Amino acid sequence: MPFWKKMFNTQQAVYYPRAIVQGKPVETETIAKDLAKISTVSNSDVQAVLGDIAGVMHTRMSQGKSVHIKGLGYFRYVLDTKGVKDLKDFNFDKQVQAVRIEFIPERSKLSNGTYTRALVDSDTLEWIELSPDTEDQDPAQGGSGSDGDLDENPLG
């Protein structure tokens, strides 16, 4: 069950729900054990493949490709950039501020004509509200998250 809490954005003066991560991340070893239990592949084989996937994905994306993992979604490089008003001032190296990975979950069409995205089966999610003073424990967001304003989308 995922968690959420009420947040206040002072710039827009609105309250909104924010998903919160609790506890330690599930590590590769645990994912490998879970996958080994539901397949004929050993835990060590799964860990070996999962350990190599980042390097293989990087190689393919550095060739200008996107990577599609069936049932999961698509990964590709995107750029955070700043623009210039005049074309003569254009300088790729100076304008690129960061390289990020964009993930787009796989989607499938349901019998009623709507779509559902991989990892987000909203019919089975039961969201639990936490206290507004609960800290986000997602290390991907810098450890214990701040409860202040969000100036940018933390997902890129």
Side-chain angles (χ1 to χ4, degrees), residues 108-116:
S108 29
K109 192 171 188 176
L110 302 175
S111 59
N112 65 6
T114 62
Y115 287 89
T116 186

Side-chain angles (χ1 to χ4, degrees), residues 7-17 148-151:
M7 294 290 294
F8 183 71
N9 180 305
T10 55
Q11 290 179 338
Q12 298 175 343
V14 296
Y15 289 92
Y16 60 95
D149 297 300
L150 292 177
D151 292 333

Side-chain angles (χ1 to χ4, degrees), residues 12-53:
Q12 298 175 343
V14 296
Y15 289 92
Y16 60 95
R18 178 175 175 195
I20 299 295
V21 172
Q22 290 289 281
K24 294 180 180 178
V26 176
E27 297 293 340
T28 305
E29 295 79 8
T30 303
I31 297 294
K33 288 177 186 174
D34 291 349
L35 288 170
K37 286 178 189 174
I38 62 171
S39 71
T40 59
V41 182
S42 74
N43 177 31
S44 58
D45 288 341
V46 174
Q47 284 194 48
V49 170
L50 290 175
D52 291 338
I53 196 167

